[in-house]
Amino acid sequence: KNEVEQSPQNLTAQEGEFITINCSYSVGISALHWLQQHPGGGIVSLFMLSSGKKKHGRLIATINIQEKHSSLHITASHPRDSAVYICAVRSKGGSEKLVFGKGMKLTVNP
Amino acid sequence: GAGVSQSPRYKVAKRGQDVALRCDPISGHVSLFWYQQALGQGPEFLTYFQNEAQLDKSGLPSDRFFAERPEGSVSTLKIQRTQQEDSAVYLCASSLVGGTSVGELFFGEGSRLTVL
């Protein structure tokens, strides 16, 4: 079992839809990152969180430490949101390395 | 520079060739990471530097892979005697903080290596 699992693996939505991307992890963590990767490789950090909820524009990230689960929500989705969304966790215990999920490919159609 | 810069963006190598991939992190960033991303997969950790010290190299897949950051800024990932399975995008990321602090990561565009 992978330490970080994302669901769904692929999602196609219509412009304007509310989208939820899920991430479950199996280890104790000190932080969780949500990342966006566009075709061509560039990765942008969207959120880094260790508890609660963060909001930036149309994006909302939540984390439930007890349930080892995080969600990324996109409100009023737009075709430019089409990308791969990756969840990555930093394990407790001082290790600096991130463990990444495989990512979820989102396609938003106009 | 304003962001993390990687070069070359694309590299095609013949099997057995040595390659060197460069990462220029954001100025002043303490932490530097190298990741390997195979097609359709999430990035996998290779190695981590805090300043010039390589604190974790547990992800390097074989002794053909070597990374250095001699002056605590620019880093080079070297792959000797490349094999086809080395074909991947190699991502570099840097963070302002290190140690037990958790900092936001800034990624480069990646270097896409294709081994023929």
Side-chain angles (χ1 to χ4, degrees), chain A residues 11-87:
Chain A
L11 180 63
T12 299
Q14 287 302 120
E15 184 173 357
E17 283 185 12
F18 180 84
I19 291 163
T20 296
I21 304 166
N22 296 302
C23 175
S24 297
Y25 52 91
S26 57
V27 296
I29 67 168
S30 56
L32 182 144
H33 296 251
W34 279 104
L35 308 162
Q36 181 192 58
Q37 186 172 31
H38 281 285
I43 292 181
V44 173
S45 177
L46 298 175
F47 295 103
M48 180 183 67
L49 63 164
S50 54
S51 64
K53 177 179 173 178
K54 287 190 175 180
K55 184 176 189 293
H56 186 258
R58 295 180 294 107
L59 303 179
I60 303 167
T62 63
I63 188 168
N64 185 318
I65 296 295
Q66 286 74 30
E67 294 186 4
K68 293 187 166 65
H69 181 269
S70 176
S71 293
L72 176 68
H73 305 285
I74 305 174
T75 61
S77 59
H78 190 275
R80 64 174 174 266
D81 297 327
S82 298
V84 175
Y85 292 84
I86 303 172
C87 170

Side-chain angles (χ1 to χ4, degrees), chain B residues 6 8-9 20 29 34 46 50-52 59 62 67 73 75 81 88 92 111 113:
Chain B
Q6 291 188 246
R9 288 292 316 279
H29 276 200
W34 282 100
L46 292 176
Q50 185 172 315
N51 296 309
E52 69 279 3
S62 77
S73 55
S75 177
R81 304 182 303 283
C92 176
S111 291
L113 172 65

